[in-house]
């Protein structure tokens, strides 16, 4: 026996009694748990097409199991993974980046595109082949829990992430647990688990705060609605309290995220500007806030207030507003609930009132029914505004969506249009506005992948690479441009 264990355990009979309920009795009243027969562990070298049997545990002792986590998709998914990591670490599990050393993999999925779901499916298969337990989370299993490749797997629903520790424990014991219910408090739907839960952040300096879940749209190509459902907002006070908490923990940058931040508060008698002004009051000097994606219809009525907020010195002058197409005909087929003129009104107003603002947008190339004239309208729109951030996506038919049943544009045409739009994007230089003598304030939040530069963002959320100097992480610095390279002038 390991030294000291006898003081802790005393006798094994102290832990297991003949009067204890049997495993069958224990789980008979738990509808979310499926008991499976245990199999002996098989230890052998195996080719790729052979699955290694998973070791099954009679009990799970904290700090003895290692968990690997992987995330696909948006900032909301990233936040969910960070919350799950916080729960697992608090429970006593060891988090590891080494998937081979892990006992169990938690895979948090995205259902927006076919490729992301394909890589998610491949990762599940890799886990099976490696003999690893798997818990799946995110929008894929929430939207399509009966998918063949998810059979027998434990699932943490998008609103049940605060229960991930119990799901992991039961999965390690060989049980299949599925928690897909909507989160309710006193019979009413809530946006999700409490925001005050512990986190293990991907970047200790950046906090991603979900402000609402779901949306008000019914876009014909989108499957995320199947997973996140209709709009449910967190209370203003809970979001503000979370911001205060994380700034005290050393965070210097807060991102607000949801499926559509512009819709915030419509279900609780509030609004996005009301929330933002409350948050601005608690952002410390030297820290910044970044707003998440908003669809055009839900910002039109708040343009004046949004321009004021985005001009605030502690708020990035940056907004992601996906247009998806420059053709009103295609927007109608997508059920986007706005026209191109609405989008242009938003961009024109914000560019006038917030000089230098970065407007990012998305385009879907080859949506069903898109003619050459429709695509030319999209090209014209992108040429007019020269968006510095342009996310170009080929149309992917997501199973179960109305668009999946529409007649598709031939794949070769879709690829050609994607290439043409990409070439247009690369043809303009949005950063020529900076002169060699210009100076900017930059918040440094990370180190580049090559470990040779600090990475920061200026007021317009444009990425700036800085030479490696000591103690810059988490600090705002004033930089000057010299021969197109930034040099630090002084640290605030």
């Amino acid at each position: 026996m390991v030294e000291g264990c006898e003081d802790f355990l005393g006798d094994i009979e102290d832990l297991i009694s003949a009067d204890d309920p049997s495993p069958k009795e224990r789980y008979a009243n738990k509808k979310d748990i499926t008991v499976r027969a245990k199999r002996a562990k098989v230890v052998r070298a195996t080719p790729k097409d052979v699955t290694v049997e998973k070791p099954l545990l009679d009990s799970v002792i904290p700090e003895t199991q290692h968990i690997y986590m992987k995330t696909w998709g948006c900032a909301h998914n990233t936040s969910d993974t960070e919350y799950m990591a916080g729960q697992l670490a608090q429970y006593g599990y060891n988090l590891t980046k080494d998937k081979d050393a892990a006992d169990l993999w938690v895979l948090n999925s995205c259902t927006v595109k076919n490729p992301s779901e394909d890589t998610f499916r491949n990762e599940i298969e890799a886990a099976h082949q490696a003999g690893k337990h798997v818990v799946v989370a995110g929008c894929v299993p929430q939207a399509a829990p009966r998918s063949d490749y998810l059979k027998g797997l434990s699932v943490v629903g998008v609103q049940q992430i605060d229960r991930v520790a119990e799901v992991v424990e039961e999965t390690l014991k060989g049980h299949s647990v599925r928690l897909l219910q909507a989160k309710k408090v006193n019979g009413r739907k809530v946006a999700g688990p409490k925001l005050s839960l512990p986190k293990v952040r991907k970047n200790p300096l950046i906090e991603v705060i979900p402000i609402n879940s779901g949306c008000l749209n019914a876009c014909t190509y989108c499957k995320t609605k199947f997973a996140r459902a209709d709009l449910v907002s967190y209370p203003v006070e809970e979001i503000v309290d979370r911001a205060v908490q994380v700034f005290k923990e050393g965070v210097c940058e807060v991102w607000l995220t949801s499926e559509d931040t512009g819709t915030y508060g419509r279900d609780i008698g509030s609004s996005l500007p009301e929330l933002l002004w409350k948050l601005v009051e608690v952002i410390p000097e030297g820290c910044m806030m970044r707003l998440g994606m908003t669809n055009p219809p839900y910002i039109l009525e708040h343009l004046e207030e949004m321009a004021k907020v985005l001009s605030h010195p502690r708020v990035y002058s940056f907004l992601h507003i996906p247009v998806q197409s420059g053709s009103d005909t295609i927007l109608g087929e997508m059920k986007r609930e706005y026209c191109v003129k609405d989008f242009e009104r938003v961009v024109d107003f914000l560019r006038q009132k917030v000089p230098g603002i970065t407007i990012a947008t998305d385009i879907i190339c080859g949506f069903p029914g898109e003619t050459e004239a429709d695509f030319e309208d999209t090209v014209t729109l992108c040429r007019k505004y020269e968006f510095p951030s342009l996310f170009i996506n080929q149309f992917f038919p997501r199973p179960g969506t109305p668009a999946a049943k529409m007649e598709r544009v031939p794949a070769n045409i879709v690829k050609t249009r994607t290439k043409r739009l990409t070439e247009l994007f690369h043809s303009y230089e949005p950063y020529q506005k900076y002169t060699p003598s210009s100076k900017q304030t930059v918040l440094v939040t990370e180190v580049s992948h090559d470990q040779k530069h600090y990475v920061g963002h200026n007021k317009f959320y444009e990425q700036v690479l800085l030479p490696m100097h000591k103690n810059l992480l988490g600090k705002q610095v004033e930089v000057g441009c010299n021969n197109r390279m930034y040099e630090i002038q002084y640290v605030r």
Side-chain angles (χ1 to χ4, degrees):
M1 180 178 287
V2 178
E3 182 179 352
C5 282
E6 60 269 24
D7 294 331
F8 174 70
L9 289 178
D11 193 283
I12 194 68
E13 295 300 324
D14 293 339
L15 299 179
I16 302 175
S17 167
D19 295 328
D20 287 346
S22 68
K24 183 176 181 180
E25 294 169 333
R26 186 179 298 119
Y27 295 108
N29 64 344
K30 294 187 178 183
K31 63 181 180 179
D32 295 319
I33 300 177
T34 303
V35 180
R36 296 183 297 191
K38 293 190 175 184
R39 301 176 183 175
K41 180 179 179 181
V42 178
V43 182
R44 60 174 181 268
T46 57
K48 266 192 171 183
D49 59 344
V50 177
T51 300
V52 179
E53 293 291 347
K54 306 173 182 65
L56 304 180
L57 309 175
D58 291 313
S59 62
V60 176
I61 302 173
E63 299 185 10
T64 59
Q65 280 80 41
H66 291 74
I67 310 297
Y68 166 76
M69 308 187 78
K70 185 169 183 177
T71 310
W72 292 264
C74 64
H76 199 160
N77 265 22
T78 297
S79 178
D80 284 353
T81 297
E82 292 176 347
Y83 273 124
M84 288 191 287
Q87 305 302 296
L88 294 171
Q90 185 181 61
Y91 192 80
Y93 290 107
N94 299 298
L95 304 180
T96 179
K97 294 182 180 179
D98 183 356
K99 60 172 66 176
D100 295 327
D103 301 286
L104 180 145
W105 296 2
V106 176
L107 306 176
N108 193 6
S109 61
C110 173
T111 193
V112 171
K113 302 178 186 177
N114 291 24
S116 60
E117 183 170 351
D118 291 342
T119 57
F120 170 63
R121 184 190 296 110
N122 292 339
E123 198 75 355
I124 292 173
E125 183 58 32
H128 291 328
Q129 292 172 357
K132 307 296 182 181
H133 293 281
V134 179
V135 171
V136 294
C139 293
V140 171
Q142 185 74 50
R146 294 183 177 84
S147 299
D148 287 343
Y149 69 94
L150 298 178
K151 285 182 179 178
L153 295 181
S154 290
V155 178
V156 179
V158 295
Q159 291 200 323
Q160 298 291 335
I161 58 174
D162 55 336
R163 299 180 63 185
V164 66
E166 63 184 275
V167 175
V168 165
E169 179 176 358
E170 295 301 334
T171 303
L172 286 167
K173 294 176 182 177
H175 306 143
S176 177
V177 187
R178 293 199 160 204
L179 302 178
L180 294 164
Q181 305 91 332
K183 182 73 66 177
K184 291 185 178 182
V185 175
N186 298 324
R188 297 186 63 181
K189 281 187 178 182
V190 294
K194 292 291 185 182
L195 296 179
S196 58
L197 291 172
K199 264 191 178 185
V200 175
R201 300 183 187 91
K202 181 180 178 181
N203 184 332
L205 298 175
I206 298 176
E207 167 74 7
V208 183
I209 303 179
I211 62 174
N212 55 267
S213 182
C215 69
L216 295 176
N217 282 9
C219 301
T220 56
Y221 56 82
C222 180
K223 197 169 182 179
T224 304
K225 182 69 177 256
F226 296 7
R228 300 282 184 177
D230 292 325
L231 172 71
V232 186
S233 303
Y234 279 100
V236 171
E237 297 77 14
E238 186 173 355
I239 298 169
V240 173
D241 287 347
R242 178 64 180 182
V244 171
Q245 174 190 344
V246 301
F247 284 127
K248 288 180 180 178
E249 293 173 359
V251 162
C252 65
E253 186 170 292
V254 162
W255 297 0
L256 304 185
T257 187
S258 74
E259 285 63 61
D260 188 347
T261 59
T263 61
Y264 174 80
R266 287 171 177 255
D267 58 319
I268 58 173
S270 184
S271 68
L272 182 60
E274 179 184 350
L275 170 65
L276 297 179
W277 284 124
K278 292 286 187 182
L279 285 168
V280 163
E281 293 175 5
V282 302
I283 303 174
E285 187 71 29
C287 299
M288 297 293 288
M289 178 171 70
R290 193 193 83 171
L291 276 60
M293 183 274 288
T294 177
N295 282 310
Y298 307 109
I299 192 175
L300 278 167
E301 65 190 79
H302 302 307
L303 283 178
E304 287 279 359
E305 287 301 299
M306 290 301 297
K308 293 175 184 177
V309 172
L310 291 167
S311 298
H312 192 280
R314 292 193 289 278
V315 179
Y316 286 117
S317 297
F318 167 89
L319 199 57
H320 179 194
I321 315 171
V323 65
Q324 305 300 7
S325 175
S327 163
D328 285 341
T329 300
I330 297 302
L331 291 177
E333 291 296 313
M334 292 178 173
K335 288 192 175 179
R336 290 290 288 170
E337 300 183 6
Y338 59 87
C339 64
V340 175
K341 288 296 181 184
D342 292 332
F343 175 78
E344 290 183 328
R345 179 185 164 201
V346 172
V347 177
D348 291 341
F349 185 91
L350 291 178
R351 284 190 171 183
Q352 178 187 1
K353 297 292 185 178
V354 191
I357 187 174
T358 297
I359 301 288
T361 197
D362 299 358
I363 298 293
I364 296 176
C365 286
F367 187 84
E370 182 185 71
T371 65
E372 188 62 28
D374 294 325
F375 178 69
E376 283 298 334
D377 287 341
T378 298
V379 172
T380 299
L381 182 72
C382 293
R383 184 178 290 115
K384 175 180 178 180
Y385 289 105
E386 294 190 347
F387 301 103
S389 292
L390 183 62
F391 304 99
I392 305 168
N393 305 289
Q394 295 183 28
F395 170 75
F396 289 102
R398 302 299 291 132
T401 61
K405 300 176 183 178
M406 300 177 182
E407 185 176 353
R408 296 182 62 183
V409 176
N412 62 318
I413 295 179
V414 176
K415 289 180 180 179
T416 299
R417 289 175 182 172
T418 303
K419 182 180 179 182
R420 285 172 56 192
L421 202 56
T422 302
E423 289 173 348
L424 171 64
F425 174 72
H426 289 150
S427 71
Y428 54 79
E429 298 183 24
Y431 305 117
Q432 285 185 329
K433 59 186 177 183
Y434 298 113
T435 63
S437 60
S438 63
K439 294 183 179 181
Q440 300 181 63
T441 300
V442 175
L443 177 59
V444 181
T445 54
E446 58 187 313
V447 176
S448 62
H449 290 298
D450 62 7
Q451 304 294 305
K452 295 180 180 179
H453 301 88
Y454 282 121
V455 180
H457 293 88
N458 63 11
K459 176 68 168 70
F460 311 110
Y461 203 69
E462 295 163 333
Q463 188 180 88
V464 177
L465 298 180
L466 302 174
M468 295 289 282
H469 287 250
K470 293 183 179 180
N471 302 320
L472 286 187
L473 284 173
K475 296 182 179 180
Q476 277 191 330
V477 297
E478 193 81 6
V479 299
C481 183
N482 181 20
N483 294 326
R484 304 187 72 175
M485 290 293 291
Y486 286 100
E487 295 182 349
I488 301 170
Q489 302 297 312
Y490 61 87
V491 179
R492 286 188 171 180

